[in-house]
Amino acid sequence: SVTVADGASISAAEGDRTRATETIQLTGDSALVRISAGGQVRVERKPVAGATPGTTGTINVAAGAVLDAARSITLDASRDTVVDGDLRTHNGSLSLAAASVSLGETQGVTGGLVLSNDDLARLSARDLTLNSRSTIDLYGRIALDAERIVLDAAGLAGYANAGESVSIHADNIALTNRAGAIATGSPPDGSGTLVLSAREVTLGAGDFVVRGFSDTTIAASQQIVARPETSTPAGLHVAGDLTLDA
């Protein structure tokens, strides 16, 4: 596990940079914290044969702690990523990963990465990646906005959203399941609406499942395109009504 304690500050200032690797490969459970003046990286995890993934590996950025990066921050834990401190990317790139991701009206929700609506409003990243080893769970009403949003998971699951809407807006939105994640936990009970709007919406590798919404709209001013990053074809599966508008 990695803990950044109250009062601690870690920074990566702008300056001379060498080209960083684009992919970091890890084996088994662990916790990775990267604060960089370079570009964002992709983290790939290989499970250990016979081991259950996600049983260990925790990041805790305590309240009062500061992570300050000139260009990118990566927090990737195989179990829990707890962010109570301040993440400063100077409108750069932020990638957050955990065994599960929960967003919105998250009172009482624990485990994985949990970001309330107030937490989401404090994120200042231009480029935001949320990576769940199961689903990204959306609670109640949510409005998420960035220049580029990557949702890398088994899919989206709506909870406690009757009569409510979830809005995700960006210049580019990517829905992908690169690691072949599988949905876990209770079936979603939501019946609200989901709207994803962007200039371009990209469907990446793997099956991406949307549940817990009665109506889902994917709207792109330019195009909705399947563009898998691997040899695994893109697949989008939506429970409820689906509108594609491009």
Side-chain angles (χ1 to χ4, degrees):
S1 65
V2 177
T3 298
V4 185
D6 178 11
S9 178
I10 303 174
S11 64
E14 189 70 59
D16 293 337
R17 299 189 301 270
T18 58
R19 182 175 176 83
T21 180
E22 295 182 354
T23 303
I24 296 176
Q25 296 180 329
L26 303 173
T27 299
D29 288 353
S30 61
L32 171 71
V33 175
R34 179 179 180 270
I35 300 96
S36 178
Q40 189 58 261
V41 295
R42 177 183 300 176
V43 178
E44 295 181 354
R45 291 185 175 274
K46 181 180 179 180
V48 175
T52 301
T55 57
T56 60
T58 299
I59 296 170
N60 185 1
V61 182
V66 176
L67 302 182
D68 190 321
R71 293 189 66 192
S72 65
I73 294 176
T74 309
L75 304 181
D76 191 300
S78 48
R79 184 175 179 179
D80 297 334
T81 297
V82 180
V83 180
D84 293 322
D86 191 5
L87 306 181
R88 302 175 183 173
T89 66
H90 302 277
N91 205 32
S93 178
L94 176 62
S95 178
L96 304 174
S100 62
V101 175
S102 301
L103 309 178
E105 298 173 4
T106 54
Q107 298 88 340
V109 179
T110 59
L113 170 68
V114 180
L115 297 174
S116 68
N117 282 321
D118 287 342
D119 295 331
L120 292 172
R122 285 194 296 269
L123 299 180
S124 60
R126 169 185 50 79
D127 184 340
L128 176 64
T129 296
L130 298 174
N131 184 340
S132 170
R133 273 91 200 192
S134 54
T135 54
I136 296 175
D137 298 336
L138 308 173
Y139 291 84
R141 177 183 292 271
I142 301 171
L144 179 60
D145 195 336
E147 185 170 323
R148 180 173 184 264
I149 296 175
V150 178
L151 304 176
D152 190 349
L156 304 177
Y159 293 88
N161 60 18
E164 302 287 2
S165 65
V166 172
S167 172
I168 300 175
H169 176 75
D171 181 69
N172 181 280
I173 295 174
L175 308 177
T176 189
N177 185 7
R178 288 191 296 251
I182 299 174
T184 60
S186 59
D189 61 5
S191 59
T193 61
L194 171 65
V195 178
L196 292 86
S197 59
R199 177 185 57 81
E200 178 178 278
V201 177
T202 302
L203 306 180
D207 288 328
F208 196 90
V209 180
V210 178
R211 301 182 299 163
F213 299 94
S214 60
D215 294 284
T216 297
T217 298
I218 300 177
S221 60
Q222 181 172 310
Q223 65 178 348
I224 301 171
V225 59
R227 190 180 292 138
E229 312 94 319
T230 70
S231 59
T232 304
L236 177 64
H237 310 271
V238 177
D241 295 337
L242 171 64
T243 301
L244 299 176
D245 183 3

